[in-house]
Amino acid sequence: MPVLNQEPSKDEGEKDSLPKLPLPNLKDTLDMYLRCMKHLLTEEQFHQTQKTVERFGAAGGVGELLQSKLTERRESKANWVYDYWLNDMYLNNRLALPVNSSPAMVFPKQNFRAPIDSLRFAAHLISGVLEYKTLLDARALPVDYARGQLAGTPLCMEQYYRLFTSYRLPGPERDTLVAQESSVMPEPEHIIVACKNQFFVLDVVINFRRLNERDLLTQLEKIFKMAYSKEEQLPPIGLLTSDGRTEWAESRRVLMKESTNRDNLDMIERCLCLVCLDDGSGAELCDSTRAMLMLHGGGVAKNGGNRWYDKPMQFVIGADGCCGVVCEHSAFEGIVLVQCTEYLLKYMIGSPSKLVRAASVSELPAPRRLRWKCSPEIHKLLDSSADKLQRLVGNLDMQVHKFYDYGKEFIKKQKMSPDAYIQVALQLAYYRCHSRPVSTYESASIRRFKDGRVDNIRSATPEALAFVKAMTDEKQTVSDAEKMELLQGAITAQTKCTILAITGMAIDNHLLGLREIAQELSMERPEIFKDEAFLISNQFILSTSQVPTTVEMFCCYGPVVPNGYGACYNPQSDHIIFCVSSFHESPQTSSAEFIKCLIQGLLDMRDLCYKCNSTSNRSQQRADKTAETHTQTGTKWQSKTQQRPSDLNRNQQMLPQVLVRTTEQREVDAQTQTPTQGGAGALKNGGK
């Protein structure tokens, strides 16, 4: 993840000044593909894959033809992979959005003593949203600039402008990301408030004036009262959006038969965002519980229907203080979600609640409840959606763990990149649990380039495997010095993979482009993409992402395959927050066991650093003593009055200083740390 500096936006020409995403060399990608997969395959599988890759990359072969077509595409498109990537990563995916796709940020638990407290919180939050939207509309949001590798280069800002102007439209085979071309929302602007599974239109601009916080609170109080009116309880239509995408597309088609429903859908799909006023869950709100409630709402009996998952931003405010934001991921990356939410939380901390009546809009019209016309067919579809959401709720195995033994400052003292170090620790944890390496995904931002989104850092490197095998060797045949050398090699390999990814030279987007251009040309799918190794390479059993924050909150998401883990981590100075998810239905996975192995691995890696640093210091002391003996001149007073270098070293034995970072490692360190911001506010970074 890139460290960000921010400067005020100068004009809309920033995007045009960014370079295009490069197209890697075909041979380099194929060579790297084989290197990434060799240790994840059997010898027979790899031999078959090697022959397949050689045929694909042969001179005058299919690979060269497809590469030439991609080269032409790069010339004609702003970003040659963007459409391919968006469809493959999100829009073609038929799984339900909650847990499977939509990540959540979990805010600090709030202490609401009465319903009015949560409504005040909501009014204050909405005021922050409107302030942030004003910055977006004016194109006044500070431009992100990278540090480290290619320091000072501006980053693409387009994702920010989809935060409050887009939605994901379900389709029978592929969804559509609908985004307004204009950065200014049509008047009147409105927010949808969900309460008791009902949806209300809250106009935030009335008579050309934006509502102040006092007026927003007044309107929220009206909504709260309307929602609790038992005479007008309507079916929880929001449950339909939690279903599989093909199922939801069909349900939406049925809803659209009624003009009233069409108008309701239009109001929801054009709104700025959702504010979900949740009932208390009744559960003990530990971190793991709050994470699960953010991801799925707790199911039908709780707040599962109090959502509309197609909207990019859903701010959840629970009566019990369980608060956060759920995001539809196709519109933007985690970095944008975190930047926005940190702005809002800092706005709320730094801007006292303004609940004065002055300058309010007189005689505010009552917010409007969206009333649905539901046929028996809709009721049947709702029952089906409710059952599937309930199964998803019961299936999610989420563990949030705050590791307090050390944080990123200790790792930096080892002259290592915190992100690379934690990635190696995740490899060690998985190997301890399952005794094998697997394809691993770590998101890497490619926002240095026009319309850049992400590529994949393949963290399951051969070097990481060598290290984890040494650390789990029960026969203890590998010395600590050798283990440290292997750790250094794993860190270096991870660093190189990261640099390739953030500079647009990783393999996943390139292979995707080659596959998709073949389909566009109506060619038979090339053998390389039907090979078993390619299927294995894209089964990301370990899906990881670093999402550091400068405000007290954390990110969580679900696994991307049935037998996999989602592993999100937030490195802080003296601790690391891990959110590990899996599915109960998989007999192969256990989030609690993974966390247990992760803790053990982090402690073992720390102990290894301490041991090797201590050994290194003793060796230095002996070298210093030998050097002193050889340089003495025979005058006894010199040795008595001069302090030996070895004495100085004794005072430094507790300062681990073993591994020396290469230039590449120092650059990647800057890619994986918390950003700073100027201009409108201090924000941060992150992404799935």
Side-chain angles (χ1 to χ4, degrees):
M1 291 298 163
V3 172
L4 305 182
N5 279 336
Q6 292 207 331
E7 294 181 6
S9 181
K10 298 174 181 62
D11 54 49
E12 295 188 25
E14 289 285 357
K15 177 183 173 184
D16 295 332
S17 69
L18 293 174
K20 284 188 174 185
L21 180 70
L23 180 65
N25 176 274
L26 179 62
K27 184 178 185 305
D28 291 345
T29 290
L30 296 179
D31 288 347
M32 196 184 311
Y33 172 60
L34 289 174
R35 187 176 188 280
C36 287
M37 294 307 299
K38 183 175 183 179
H39 56 293
L40 303 182
L41 303 172
T42 65
E43 189 173 332
E44 183 180 348
Q45 285 174 328
F46 180 72
H47 182 65
Q48 175 63 39
T49 297
Q50 197 171 26
K51 290 191 295 183
T52 301
V53 169
E54 286 174 0
R55 287 193 293 270
F56 182 78
V62 173
E64 285 194 354
L65 170 63
L66 298 179
Q67 180 77 355
S68 68
K69 295 298 181 181
L70 278 185
T71 302
E72 293 174 10
R73 179 181 173 88
R74 182 178 182 272
E75 292 301 315
S76 63
K77 295 276 188 179
N79 185 306
W80 63 267
V81 82
Y82 178 83
D83 292 335
Y84 292 160
W85 176 90
L86 184 64
N87 289 335
D88 184 71
M89 180 68 80
Y90 295 114
L91 303 184
N92 291 341
N93 194 329
R94 300 291 83 199
L95 293 175
L97 295 185
V99 177
N100 299 304
S101 179
S102 296
M105 293 298 304
V106 183
F107 294 172
K109 185 180 180 301
Q110 303 300 307
N111 183 25
F112 299 143
R113 299 181 181 180
I116 191 65
D117 293 336
S118 61
L119 298 182
R120 286 194 183 103
F121 184 91
H124 203 177
L125 179 66
I126 293 170
S127 290
V129 168
L130 299 179
E131 287 289 330
Y132 196 75
K133 181 64 167 55
T134 299
L135 290 175
L136 291 171
D137 289 347
R139 293 269 166 171
L141 195 68
V143 174
D144 298 342
Y145 283 82
R147 286 170 52 193
Q149 178 88 349
L150 304 179
T153 56
L155 303 178
C156 184
M157 298 293 289
E158 285 306 297
Q159 295 177 43
Y160 286 95
Y161 300 102
R162 292 193 286 267
L163 276 165
F164 302 110
T165 61
S166 63
Y167 69 96
R168 180 165 167 174
L169 179 67
E173 296 180 356
R174 173 188 292 170
D175 290 359
T176 303
L177 178 59
V178 180
Q180 290 187 189
E181 292 300 322
S182 170
S183 63
V184 180
M185 291 289 286
E187 300 293 348
E189 293 182 328
H190 66 281
I191 282 171
I192 295 295
V193 177
C195 187
K196 301 293 286 185
N197 300 329
Q198 312 295 296
F199 297 97
F200 301 85
V201 179
L202 171 59
D203 290 318
V204 294
V205 175
I206 297 178
N207 296 331
F208 305 102
R209 174 184 285 176
R210 199 178 88 187
L211 297 194
N212 63 30
E213 196 170 322
R214 173 70 255 181
D215 290 328
L216 290 169
L217 178 58
T218 298
Q219 298 296 74
L220 289 171
E221 288 179 289
K222 292 177 185 176
I223 288 172
F224 192 76
K225 185 176 180 180
M226 293 165 66
Y228 276 79
S229 171
K230 293 184 179 179
E231 290 75 25
E232 294 197 66
Q233 289 293 314
L234 296 169
I237 296 296
L239 284 174
L240 297 175
T241 72
S242 73
D243 211 331
R245 301 307 291 172
T246 298
E247 293 84 349
W248 165 219
E250 173 59 19
S251 299
R252 186 178 183 279
R253 185 191 66 78
V254 176
L255 277 173
M256 293 277 285
K257 292 178 181 179
E258 293 286 350
S259 61
T260 299
N261 296 341
R262 288 198 295 272
D263 292 342
N264 291 348
L265 290 168
D266 182 63
M267 291 302 293
I268 293 174
E269 290 163 356
R270 286 194 300 107
C271 73
L272 286 170
C273 62
L274 261 76
V275 172
C276 307
L277 303 178
D278 279 6
D279 291 338
S281 67
E284 182 182 347
L285 293 181
C286 64
D287 290 338
S288 298
T289 298
R290 290 190 296 132
M292 288 188 284
L293 290 173
M294 280 303 117
L295 288 173
H296 54 52
V300 181
K302 295 180 180 176
N303 297 290
N306 211 43
R307 304 282 186 275
W308 199 272
Y309 283 101
D310 294 349
K311 286 304 294 184
M313 299 291 279
Q314 296 191 90
F315 296 99
V316 177
I317 301 167
D320 53 7
C322 183
C323 301
V325 58
V326 185
C327 98
E328 197 292 295
H329 211 340
S330 68
F332 47 80
E333 301 309 323
I335 182 173
V336 174
L337 172 67
V338 178
Q339 294 276 36
C340 176
T341 51
E342 289 211 343
Y343 176 95
L344 297 176
L345 290 181
K346 290 176 179 179
Y347 169 89
M348 295 174 75
I349 294 168
S351 173
S353 184
K354 300 170 184 175
L355 295 176
V356 295
R357 177 56 80 176
S360 66
V361 177
S362 61
E363 297 182 13
L364 292 168
R368 181 161 63 89
R369 182 198 300 264
L370 297 182
R371 293 179 171 84
W372 304 88
K373 289 190 176 180
C374 296
S375 63
E377 186 178 5
I378 291 295
H379 284 285
K380 187 177 178 180
L381 292 168
L382 278 168
D383 289 341
S384 175
S385 297
D387 289 343
K388 280 180 269 189
L389 177 60
Q390 209 57 38
R391 178 179 170 180
L392 188 60
V393 169
N395 197 11
L396 180 61
D397 178 9
M398 172 67 71
Q399 292 283 324
V400 178
H401 178 77
K402 294 181 178 177
F403 179 80
Y404 282 110
D405 287 85
Y406 60 90
K408 64 182 179 183
E409 290 307 315
F410 168 80
I411 302 171
K412 289 182 194 176
K413 287 179 181 177
Q414 313 313 306
K415 308 303 181 187
M416 301 179 191
S417 156
D419 184 68
Y421 182 100
I422 294 170
Q423 282 292 326
V424 173
L426 290 169
Q427 292 296 312
L428 177 54
Y430 189 89
Y431 195 87
R432 272 211 166 107
C433 282
H434 301 283
S435 303
R436 67 187 180 101
V438 289
S439 290
T440 303
Y441 183 97
E442 183 192 3
S443 59
S445 173
I446 50 173
R447 288 175 60 219
R448 284 176 172 76
F449 306 103
K450 193 178 299 183
D451 292 334
R453 293 291 298 263
V454 297
D455 206 336
N456 179 21
I457 304 168
R458 288 188 167 265
S459 303
T461 63
E463 292 82 359
L465 179 59
F467 171 70
V468 303
K469 281 184 173 180
M471 292 295 285
T472 55
D473 177 19
E474 294 180 357
K475 297 179 181 179
Q476 299 294 316
T477 57
V478 183
S479 69
D480 288 338
E482 290 172 313
K483 289 176 183 176
M484 180 56 85
E485 188 175 343
L486 290 171
L487 174 58
Q488 185 177 13
I491 295 284
T492 300
Q494 178 71 15
T495 297
K496 289 180 178 178
C497 289
T498 300
I499 290 175
L500 286 172
I502 64 177
T503 54
M505 303 305 287
I507 66 171
D508 283 68
N509 282 350
H510 191 192
L511 290 171
L512 171 65
L514 293 166
R515 187 191 74 187
E516 293 302 298
I517 201 79
Q519 185 172 337
E520 281 188 8
L521 295 170
S522 300
M523 295 173 58
E524 181 183 351
R525 177 167 288 198
E527 188 182 1
I528 186 175
F529 302 121
K530 296 186 288 187
D531 182 46
E532 187 177 11
F534 188 73
L535 302 178
I536 293 172
S537 75
N538 284 282
Q539 285 289 305
F540 293 114
I541 291 175
L542 192 53
S543 175
T544 73
S545 184
Q546 176 189 221
V547 186
T549 66
T550 63
V551 172
E552 184 191 348
M553 60 178 176
F554 60 86
C555 181
C556 57
Y557 52 82
V560 298
V561 293
N563 61 333
Y565 294 97
C568 188
Y569 52 97
N570 181 350
Q572 297 294 306
S573 294
D574 59 355
H575 68 282
I576 309 168
I577 304 171
F578 291 97
C579 299
V580 174
S581 61
S582 61
F583 290 123
H584 288 298
E585 289 180 2
S586 170
Q588 303 167 25
T589 58
S590 165
S591 296
E593 188 64 24
F594 189 94
I595 287 286
K596 179 182 175 182
C597 291
L598 180 58
I599 294 168
Q600 182 184 349
L602 287 166
L603 294 176
D604 288 349
M605 290 168 70
R606 179 200 62 184
D607 292 346
L608 179 65
C609 289
Y610 277 143
K611 286 178 188 176
C612 290
N613 278 290
S614 177
T615 302
S616 176
N617 283 343
R618 284 198 299 271
S619 298
Q620 185 64 45
Q621 288 172 16
R622 287 195 295 271
D624 290 341
K625 187 173 182 179
T626 301
E628 183 184 17
T629 301
H630 285 296
T631 56
Q632 284 179 349
T633 60
T635 54
K636 295 180 181 179
W637 64 267
Q638 273 189 313
S639 61
K640 290 180 181 179
T641 57
Q642 291 180 338
Q643 186 180 29
R644 295 188 228 179
S646 57
D647 293 332
L648 294 174
N649 284 342
R650 287 194 190 101
N651 297 326
Q652 299 174 356
Q653 286 186 19
M654 296 308 294
L655 299 177
Q657 299 289 337
V658 165
L659 298 184
V660 178
R661 267 187 311 179
T662 64
T663 301
E664 287 179 340
Q665 286 173 325
R666 285 194 294 271
E667 288 168 342
V668 169
D669 229 6
Q671 299 298 327
T672 59
Q673 293 176 29
T674 307
T676 57
Q677 289 192 329
L683 313 178
K684 77 115 291 302
N685 87 10
K688 181 179 174 181

